[in-house]
Amino acid sequence: MQLSFYFIALLLGILFSGIYLIIGSGQKEYKRINPLVLLILITGLLSEAIWNYTLATGKYNFLIYNILYVYLRPAVMLLLYSQLPYSCHLQKKVLPTIAGFLLLGLVISRFFQSIFTDIQSYTYLIGHGLVLFYSLIFFKDILVQSKFKDTNLLSLPYFWMATLVLFSFGESYIFFILTYYFPNLGTYGMGHVFQWVQFFGGMMYLSFGLSFYAPLIFNRRYSY
């Protein structure tokens, strides 16, 4: 398998997140979300490895890829957002959202797009769209929360997570729509645009692993 920046970033993200899980001495709220972040990273690594293997061998295993990338990745991302401190208590709606997403995926698999024969584009759009929705709401929410008024946001791990998810998921979401539903524009693996999508995806995964160390690097409180 070719060691692209995306793949290396995933490995480094897993490494840093794993180290923090084992020896980290941070706040309990960060220790609680760390296993979810690690699961997201491992899911991303498995998805990338399986996809590269299918491209190399021509033996497409859409079932495993759909389970890992289309269902599990957004579901675990949403589960992560259920642990974040929304002031509007939106996190209480995340678990019902996950249940609704999986139910819709089941309906789509049964009547519209088989989970065995192709990437489930409809389910992808729903799941990743939900992640974008919660990311955007959380990003806006954390900027106006009174308890973070004097806090350096760069010192908050979940601030980094939400920011990079917005960038990475946002551009890959648009790119997927354009290349999947408008094939005359090019294939999903086309040229330099896809390399940028992969670059921001790698940056997101790397920031997931490094974000837990942000409180050690940046001052938690602003100094005046």
Side-chain angles (χ1 to χ4, degrees), residues 50-60:
I50 290 172
W51 186 249
N52 277 279
Y53 175 77
T54 59
L55 288 177
T57 62
K59 300 176 181 178
Y60 293 94

Side-chain angles (χ1 to χ4, degrees), residues 41 66 77 82 85 159 188 208:
L41 293 168
N66 278 320
M77 291 282 281
S82 73
F159 174 78
Y188 189 75
F208 269 36

Side-chain angles (χ1 to χ4, degrees), residues 59-146:
K59 300 176 181 178
Y60 293 94
N61 194 327
F62 289 108
L63 173 62
I64 296 178
Y65 189 79
N66 278 320
I67 289 174
L68 289 174
Y69 195 78
V70 177
Y71 286 93
L72 186 58
R73 188 175 87 138
V76 179
M77 291 282 281
L78 289 172
L79 190 59
L80 172 64
Y81 277 89
S82 73
Q83 304 299 311
L84 301 186
Y86 289 86
S87 64
C88 56
H89 304 295
L90 189 65
Q91 63 267 40
K92 295 180 180 179
K93 302 184 184 299
V94 176
L95 293 182
T97 298
I98 296 174
F101 161 63
L102 296 177
L103 181 60
L104 274 174
L106 182 63
V107 172
I108 290 171
S109 298
R110 179 65 179 85
F111 298 104
F112 299 100
Q113 289 181 319
S114 172
I115 195 173
F116 300 99
T117 59
D118 200 358
I119 296 175
Q120 291 189 298
S121 60
Y122 301 148
T123 310
Y124 172 93
L125 293 176
I126 294 170
H128 289 70
L130 288 171
V131 173
L132 274 173
F133 169 76
Y134 279 100
S135 297
L136 180 61
I137 298 300
F138 178 72
F139 185 81
K140 292 174 61 178
D141 186 65
I142 199 175
L143 293 177
V144 299
Q145 285 193 46
S146 58

Side-chain angles (χ1 to χ4, degrees), residues 34-54:
N34 181 267
L36 292 174
V37 170
L38 192 57
L39 180 57
I40 292 170
L41 293 168
I42 292 174
T43 301
L45 181 68
L46 290 175
S47 300
E48 178 69 6
I50 290 172
W51 186 249
N52 277 279
Y53 175 77
T54 59

Side-chain angles (χ1 to χ4, degrees), residues 43 49 70 129 145 166 178 183 196 217:
T43 301
V70 177
Q145 285 193 46
L166 278 176
L178 291 178
W196 276 107
I217 300 173

